[in-house]
Amino acid sequence: MPNKMSQEKEALLRALGAEVVRTPDDEPWDSARSHIGVAKRLRQEIRYGVILDQYGNVNNPLAHECTTGPEIIAAVVSTPSTPTKPSSLKVDVFVAGAGTGGTVTGVSRALKKEHNPECIVVGVDPIGSILALPERLNDESPKPYVVEGIGYDFVPQVLSRDPADIDHWVKTDDGDAFQAVQRLMKTEGLLVGGSSGSALSGALAWLKTERGQKVAQTEGLNVVILLADGIRNYMSKEWFLDFALGPGPPRIPQTTSDKGN
């Protein structure tokens, strides 16, 4: 795993009996010393070694198309429309961060194929990553950011950047992401991590666009934001300890030399 990964993730793997190999964060994805390169080497060295390959395994998006998507649809459809809380009984907008891209791709297909072909899917990508389209949204080269779990310096095979699957992209920064995390914790009681903050801040940014404002002003439309992580994996991180235990206003974490994963 990259050095940026939290201690909690490593501790959990070791508790399950895994041997953990840390790899440099500043290695490009196709380097032999990156987490992908080291995994490929270990697969050759370890008898019966297997890489599940979340970046290229078609079962990644398929799992979300067959499970996560239908679960979201069932929850929205089964929530009745009332005079005080009207509902279209459909998922009208879906917002999710893109890491491997399997989640946003698979859920999009589940929503658009039979449930609501007009559903708007918004992908969220941290500034410094190269996943978002069009290309002008991205910087000229990958840059470091603090948020874990979303964004890459290459485009995974399982991520569909076809406009038929992802209608819009939004870029987010660390400051907005962690402010959104604090907001979710304090106002909603949801103990989420940085990628969930990115999803919320990305959704709020998109709702300020021309098309997003039309959605926000239309009564009964349902905007679903996927909060894909929890705080369990980040409780030793400085940004969380400063927020939870600090005597004054929480500081927004500053980007380090680490790359996203």
Side-chain angles (χ1 to χ4, degrees), residues 206-223:
W206 181 80
L207 287 168
K208 295 178 182 178
T209 66
E210 182 177 355
R211 192 171 186 185
Q213 287 180 349
K214 292 180 180 178
V215 169
Q217 294 167 3
T218 303
E219 191 174 49
L221 296 188
N222 295 303
V223 178

Side-chain angles (χ1 to χ4, degrees), residues 5-220:
M5 289 286 191
S6 68
Q7 290 182 338
E8 287 85 353
K9 293 178 182 178
E10 179 176 353
L12 178 60
L13 289 170
R14 290 186 181 278
L16 293 171
E19 177 183 347
V20 176
V21 179
R22 288 275 184 176
T23 58
D25 288 307
D26 56 359
E27 290 292 324
W29 69 274
D30 54 355
S31 164
R33 299 180 67 239
S34 72
H35 61 296
I36 295 176
V38 170
K40 289 180 178 179
R41 174 176 59 79
L42 291 174
R43 179 183 58 186
Q44 299 299 321
E45 296 176 355
I46 299 173
R47 191 179 185 185
Y48 306 122
V50 174
I51 297 178
L52 298 181
D53 189 12
Q54 61 178 338
Y55 309 108
N57 191 331
V58 295
N59 290 300
N60 178 349
L62 187 61
H64 294 289
E65 182 177 345
C66 295
T67 60
T68 315
E71 180 181 349
I72 291 171
I73 293 168
V76 172
V77 170
S78 64
T79 302
S81 177
T82 66
T84 56
K85 293 185 177 181
S87 171
S88 66
L89 299 180
K90 296 184 295 184
V91 180
D92 299 290
V93 179
F94 175 68
V95 184
T100 67
T103 302
V104 67
T105 299
V107 172
S108 173
R109 291 171 178 169
L111 296 174
K112 291 179 178 251
K113 280 184 177 178
E114 297 181 6
H115 171 67
N116 180 13
E118 302 302 317
C119 178
I120 301 169
V121 176
V122 180
V124 178
D125 188 40
I127 294 173
S129 168
I130 68 167
L131 301 185
L133 283 175
E135 298 294 353
R136 60 178 173 77
L137 290 177
N138 291 306
D139 301 318
E140 293 183 0
S141 61
K143 295 180 180 179
Y145 48 91
V146 175
V147 169
E148 293 184 39
I150 58 174
Y152 280 103
D153 58 351
F154 70 102
V155 180
Q157 295 176 7
V158 298
L159 168 62
S160 171
R161 299 201 292 176
D162 188 330
D165 290 318
I166 301 178
D167 301 87
H168 300 281
W169 286 92
V170 177
K171 302 291 287 188
T172 59
D173 63 28
D174 287 325
D176 290 339
F178 288 108
Q179 285 182 345
V181 169
Q182 295 165 12
R183 180 176 179 180
L184 284 167
M185 288 184 182
K186 285 194 170 183
T187 63
E188 302 296 334
L190 298 174
L191 297 174
V192 298
S195 71
S196 292
S198 294
L200 175 57
S201 63
L204 294 174
W206 181 80
L207 287 168
K208 295 178 182 178
T209 66
E210 182 177 355
R211 192 171 186 185
Q213 287 180 349
K214 292 180 180 178
V215 169
Q217 294 167 3
T218 303
E219 191 174 49

